[in-house]
Amino acid sequence: MEILNNLAERVISGEKLTKEEGLQILSIPDELVMELVEEASKVREYFFKNQMEFCSLINAKNGACTEDCSFCAQSSHYKTPINAYGLVSKDEMLSGAEKAVAINANRYCIVVSGRRASKEEVDKIADAVKEIKKSYPIKVCCSLGTIDEEDLTKLKDAGVDRINHNLETSERYFPKIVSTHTWKERYETIKKIQKVGLSTCTGGIFGMGESDEDIVDLAMTYRDLKVDSIPLNFLIPIPGTPLEDKHNLTPLKCLKIIALFRLFNPKSEIRLCGGRELNLKDYHDVAFEIANCLMVGGYLTRAGREPGKDEEMARRLGRELIKNGASFSVSK
């Protein structure tokens, strides 16, 4: 297929792929997917060598969310099997950081439910971050919803170096997934994160009924924003949510999506997160020929696989883990 000819070489040389080429990548016949993986792998290896990064999170405030995101178990609009609770204590946030270090995570993300964290919550999180940075050799990220420059600066001063804020899908498709806030609001928050000098982690969820055009548009948006890390999530249909019956992803489709984001964002970290195990199935390891980062130790409301299995995968693929500014081989 013509799109595969010198694909990696073109991207490495700095050429930007077009929207039409992105659509071609997503429509590559399944029998040619491994050729696509090979091309995308060359790009990953060129920019990131054999390094891999683990990150971990703490669900620091769960449920009771006023927003109606169709994929989310934490929305108060739906009856889902979760245990809602308020912001956890500083000691619990520190304990989460200790656990993250123990499973070789290089990053630890403090995540709260809701449209935005309150000023009081931001103060408490900033206080906890100061203690974490004193106590543990780990980078700290936060995911706190819509957040203003004052709070972003406060978190930066406390030691946070990266903020997660996902656009989730294209601007076109977003209203079909969320009605209580806008895509533009989230986009403007990302611009504020960059304005104060914090690193950006922003990605999406796939399998929600979006079109290939929506997927390509999201990849192009992140290219335009020059985001540092792109977490890719694959829908885990949650009982009680409007998307509970969505099962439209295949492992090969997931590989095409991962390759697309690598090829459109060659210098960005491609981080595989929620749903990777469920949706990639036997192609899970293959996906990390393209991606260079992953979430370990579970997700917000769903358990992941044991961290030891991800360490074994890193060892099997010959990767070195990044931790505390250095890289090391995973020992048996």
Side-chain angles (χ1 to χ4, degrees):
M1 193 170 180
E2 187 175 351
I3 184 64
L4 293 172
N5 294 339
N6 301 315
L7 185 55
E9 182 179 336
R10 291 170 56 202
V11 171
I12 290 170
S13 70
E15 182 176 340
K16 290 185 177 181
L17 301 182
T18 66
K19 182 173 181 175
E20 291 70 25
E21 289 173 317
L23 292 171
Q24 289 177 45
I25 287 169
L26 291 180
S27 63
I28 280 176
D30 286 353
E31 60 268 24
L32 296 180
V33 168
M34 296 314 295
E35 292 184 33
L36 173 64
V37 169
E38 183 177 357
E39 290 299 300
S41 175
K42 292 175 185 176
V43 177
R44 186 269 307 160
E45 187 173 2
Y46 181 84
F47 288 103
F48 295 96
K49 311 260 184 276
N50 67 337
Q51 292 185 327
M52 178 179 282
E53 182 187 67
F54 287 179
C55 64
S56 179
L57 62 76
I58 180 172
N59 189 355
K61 178 186 174 185
N62 190 40
C65 180
T66 59
E67 306 308 287
D68 66 353
C69 306
S70 298
F71 53 82
C72 188
Q74 301 196 61
S75 173
S76 60
H77 292 256
Y78 319 125
K79 293 182 179 179
T80 58
I82 65 165
N83 176 33
Y85 51 82
L87 187 68
V88 302
S89 67
K90 181 198 292 189
D91 285 347
E92 289 178 86
M93 292 187 218
L94 266 67
S95 177
E98 182 178 16
K99 292 174 182 176
V101 170
I103 59 175
N104 286 322
N106 188 51
R107 294 184 181 274
Y108 172 60
C109 189
I110 299 171
V111 186
V112 303
S113 64
R115 183 169 184 165
R116 66 186 71 215
S118 69
K119 295 290 183 179
E120 181 182 1
E121 288 169 338
V122 170
D123 286 343
K124 290 180 178 179
I125 290 168
D127 185 46
V129 170
K130 291 176 184 177
E131 291 297 318
I132 291 168
K133 297 298 288 187
K134 290 178 184 177
S135 304
Y136 302 106
I138 197 164
K139 295 184 177 181
V140 181
C141 313
C142 289
S143 182
L144 308 179
T146 302
I147 188 167
D148 61 31
E149 291 182 33
E150 179 185 5
D151 286 341
L152 287 167
T153 301
K154 183 179 297 182
L155 292 167
K156 181 181 178 183
D157 292 344
V160 172
D161 78 311
R162 177 173 287 180
I163 300 291
N164 167 260
H165 195 68
N166 296 338
L167 291 176
E168 308 299 9
T169 189
S170 72
E171 184 174 13
R172 179 192 312 104
Y173 194 65
F174 191 89
K176 295 183 179 180
I177 300 299
V178 185
S179 70
T180 49
H181 60 269
T182 66
W183 187 93
K184 189 69 173 178
E185 178 182 310
R186 299 190 71 81
Y187 181 90
E188 291 301 326
T189 298
I190 294 169
K191 298 295 287 185
K192 291 175 185 176
I193 294 165
Q194 293 177 325
K195 182 179 178 181
V196 302
L198 283 161
S199 177
T200 48
C201 177
T202 178
I205 301 177
F206 307 97
M208 300 189 294
E210 71 282 347
S211 67
D212 282 357
E213 185 177 6
D214 293 315
I215 297 171
V216 176
D217 282 351
L218 186 62
M220 294 180 72
T221 296
Y222 288 149
R223 182 172 70 186
D224 292 342
L225 284 169
K226 296 181 174 63
V227 299
D228 302 300
S229 175
I230 305 176
L232 304 182
N233 300 275
F234 302 96
L235 184 68
I236 303 174
I238 297 172
T241 66
L243 300 182
E244 64 180 352
D245 295 322
K246 286 284 185 183
H247 298 277
N248 57 7
L249 287 174
T250 67
L252 294 181
K253 181 68 172 186
C254 293
L255 287 179
K256 294 175 191 178
I257 293 170
I258 298 165
L260 174 85
F261 276 82
R262 166 57 67 215
L263 293 164
F264 271 70
N265 299 272
K267 297 180 182 180
S268 300
E269 298 167 1
I270 301 298
R271 189 177 305 274
L272 301 191
C273 299
R276 60 184 170 97
E277 305 91 344
L278 174 68
N279 287 284
L280 284 163
K281 296 183 171 62
D282 292 342
Y283 290 87
H284 184 274
D285 283 19
V286 175
F288 285 95
E289 295 296 340
I290 310 170
N292 62 303
C293 302
L294 64 157
M295 178 74 68
V296 296
Y299 311 111
L300 284 176
T301 62
R302 287 294 183 271
R305 66 179 188 171
E306 296 176 6
K309 291 185 178 180
D310 289 319
E311 287 192 1
E312 170 57 31
M313 178 187 68
R315 182 165 53 247
R316 191 165 54 245
L317 295 175
R319 302 292 164 75
E320 292 186 343
L321 294 183
I322 302 171
K323 191 174 180 183
N324 196 25
S327 58
F328 65 96
S329 297
V330 182
S331 60
K332 293 185 178 180

